[in-house]
Amino acid sequence: MTESGKPILYSYFRSSCSWRVRIALALKSIDYETVPVNLIKDGGQQLAIIEYLEETRPTPRLLPPDPKKKVLVRMISDLIASGIQPVQNLSVLKQVGQENQLTWAQKAITSGFHALEQILQSTAGKYCVGDEVSMADLCLVPQVANAERFKVDLTPYPTISRINKSLLALEAFQVSHPCRQPDTPPELRA
Amino acid sequence: MTESGKPILYSYFRSSCSWRVRIALALKSIDYETVPVNLIKDGGQQLAIIEYLEETRPTPRLLPPDPKKKVLVRMISDLIASGIQPVQNLSVLKQVGQENQLTWAQKAITSGFHALEQILQSTAGKYCVGDEVSMADLCLVPQVANAERFKVDLTPYPTISRINKSLLALEAFQVSHPCRQPDTPPELRA
């Protein structure tokens, strides 16, 4: 908390974990201050922050009230935040060695996206689960951005691509975008 | 569901993801049938199943009612299920190549346990968060078992070791243990 009572987000412009939380904050219209940190602990821990926001600021909801739909939202979120992102994150890539990084990241993402595309084909409406934005969508957009960064061909994933495009048209996904953060370097701004 | 209405768990005796769910089922006294599957999709998706069980069978609770404690439980669960487990899981190890597997897994686990030990020192009572068994404990025990399998020295993690020991004394953690599953090979039974 700042002195004025605003929450502080320790954020790294490029981190998909930070980005997920920024989208949640924007959707829930929570005003916050950013403290940029250059080194970020990777992993899916920010899902816990999103669940906390959901409990303390329930409107608009990021989890559907129905337990069966909710489990779909959490399953998709976990598939991305635990199944794909940790295997292609910075600290793992460092361990893999520079010459293997691109191949490693592409393999992690494509095998995850293959599973994700199949799931979304049965759960998606306008967004990942039905027509309401949910936690799953907060996870999807940063992961697709990572895929693009690692030059993954997205043609085999038409549902992922379509949902991603619809989401990027929303204000909350734009203001939270890595290219518009206080610590975004000038050459990456848009 | 089986014809008799029992839920079916598609389970692999050794998978830490399956084990987490088995502990939840045992704690909530939910009778189920096991269908062993030899190949398991890794990742943290089973946390979504645990959240679903929590919502549909709230007693005994696996998440504390207080949002601040709940965020700690989810943070610890995510640190393990998204931050450690996916980096040392079977499919990643296959990609790393046989000669590097042990070093890779040990590095992933020790760096995660270093962070976890520090967090637990401030959150733990008898178990990971206070004195009630929570989702975090369901994640801890299978991960410590993985650490032991990869011959990680646990001396630097006294809090992790102490909590793990207390948990393994509980019935739910024993009946769900990989050494007591229908698909456990005879040489690994205990």
Side-chain angles (χ1 to χ4, degrees):
Chain A
M1 288 275 186
T2 62
E3 277 178 41
S4 60
K6 268 194 216 172
I8 297 175
L9 180 68
Y10 294 88
S11 176
Y12 174 51
F13 77 102
R14 189 174 253 161
S15 153
S16 47
C17 297
S18 306
W19 189 5
R20 284 177 211 143
V21 178
R22 294 196 303 260
I23 302 169
L25 288 163
L27 281 170
K28 289 179 180 287
S29 307
I30 299 173
D31 197 18
Y32 66 99
E33 295 213 348
T34 300
V35 175
V37 278
N38 228 313
L39 189 75
I40 205 89
K41 268 271 168 227
D42 277 299
Q45 292 177 60
Q46 274 75 354
L47 279 189
I49 302 183
I50 295 169
E51 297 264 4
Y52 177 78
L53 291 175
E54 179 73 358
E55 275 154 27
T56 52
R57 298 283 286 255
T59 316
R61 62 174 181 231
L62 299 176
L63 289 169
D66 171 55
K68 288 193 179 162
K69 277 199 179 160
K70 193 159 14 187
V71 79
L72 291 177
V73 169
R74 287 206 173 103
M75 213 183 65
I76 294 166
S77 305
D78 286 347
L79 170 62
I80 300 170
S82 306
I84 308 178
Q85 197 275 342
V87 185
Q88 56 97 77
N89 77 13
L90 274 184
S91 68
V92 169
L93 290 181
K94 229 179 284 169
Q95 232 177 299
V96 169
Q98 193 135 32
E99 69 286 9
N100 304 318
Q101 288 187 353
L102 196 70
T103 322
W104 176 281
Q106 286 176 342
K107 204 171 160 186
I109 296 169
T110 52
S111 89
F113 273 18
H114 181 77
L116 183 60
E117 174 71 21
Q118 288 189 300
I119 293 169
L120 290 178
Q121 282 181 8
S122 69
T123 62
K126 195 170 174 192
Y127 305 121
C128 285
V129 177
D131 296 325
E132 263 187 76
V133 172
S134 73
M135 188 163 74
D137 299 300
L138 276 55
C139 296
L140 184 75
V141 168
Q143 186 57 58
V144 174
N146 279 337
E148 287 169 343
R149 221 173 114 214
F150 292 118
K151 303 184 200 325
V152 170
D153 172 20
L154 294 175
T155 342
Y157 318 112
T159 317
I160 294 177
S161 304
R162 170 180 66 73
I163 299 170
N164 182 60
K165 208 179 151 190
S166 308
L167 289 165
L168 282 174
L170 304 176
E171 173 79 7
F173 289 76
Q174 289 169 6
V175 296
S176 58
H177 197 282
C179 69
R180 289 176 61 179
Q181 299 313 302
D183 57 332
T184 311
E187 69 274 17
L188 295 178
R189 292 198 164 270
Chain B
M1 290 274 186
T2 62
E3 275 178 44
S4 59
K6 268 195 217 171
I8 297 175
L9 179 69
Y10 295 87
S11 176
Y12 174 50
F13 77 101
R14 186 174 254 161
S15 154
S16 47
C17 298
S18 305
W19 189 4
R20 285 177 210 142
V21 178
R22 292 195 304 259
I23 302 170
L25 289 163
L27 281 170
K28 289 179 180 289
S29 307
I30 299 172
D31 195 19
Y32 65 99
E33 295 213 347
T34 301
V35 175
V37 279
N38 227 313
L39 189 75
I40 206 90
K41 267 274 169 223
D42 276 299
Q45 293 176 60
Q46 274 75 356
L47 279 189
I49 303 182
I50 295 168
E51 297 265 4
Y52 177 79
L53 289 176
E54 180 72 359
E55 275 154 26
T56 52
R57 296 284 285 256
T59 316
R61 62 175 180 231
L62 299 176
L63 288 169
D66 172 54
K68 287 189 180 165
K69 278 200 180 160
K70 192 158 19 186
V71 78
L72 291 177
V73 169
R74 287 205 173 104
M75 215 183 64
I76 295 166
S77 305
D78 286 346
L79 170 60
I80 299 170
S82 306
I84 307 177
Q85 197 276 342
V87 184
Q88 56 96 78
N89 76 13
L90 273 183
S91 68
V92 169
L93 290 181
K94 228 180 284 170
Q95 233 176 298
V96 168
Q98 193 134 30
E99 68 286 9
N100 304 317
Q101 287 186 355
L102 195 69
T103 322
W104 175 281
Q106 286 175 341
K107 205 172 159 184
I109 295 169
T110 52
S111 90
F113 273 18
H114 181 77
L116 183 60
E117 175 70 21
Q118 288 190 299
I119 293 169
L120 290 179
Q121 282 181 8
S122 69
T123 62
K126 195 168 174 190
Y127 305 121
C128 285
V129 178
D131 297 324
E132 264 187 74
V133 172
S134 73
M135 187 162 75
D137 299 299
L138 276 55
C139 296
L140 184 75
V141 168
Q143 186 57 57
V144 174
N146 279 336
E148 287 169 343
R149 223 174 111 211
F150 292 119
K151 302 183 202 325
V152 171
D153 172 21
L154 293 175
T155 342
Y157 318 112
T159 318
I160 294 177
S161 304
R162 171 180 65 74
I163 299 170
N164 182 61
K165 207 179 151 190
S166 310
L167 289 164
L168 282 174
L170 304 176
E171 172 81 8
F173 289 75
Q174 289 169 6
V175 296
S176 58
H177 197 283
C179 69
R180 290 174 63 180
Q181 298 313 303
D183 57 333
T184 311
E187 68 275 18
L188 295 178
R189 289 200 166 268

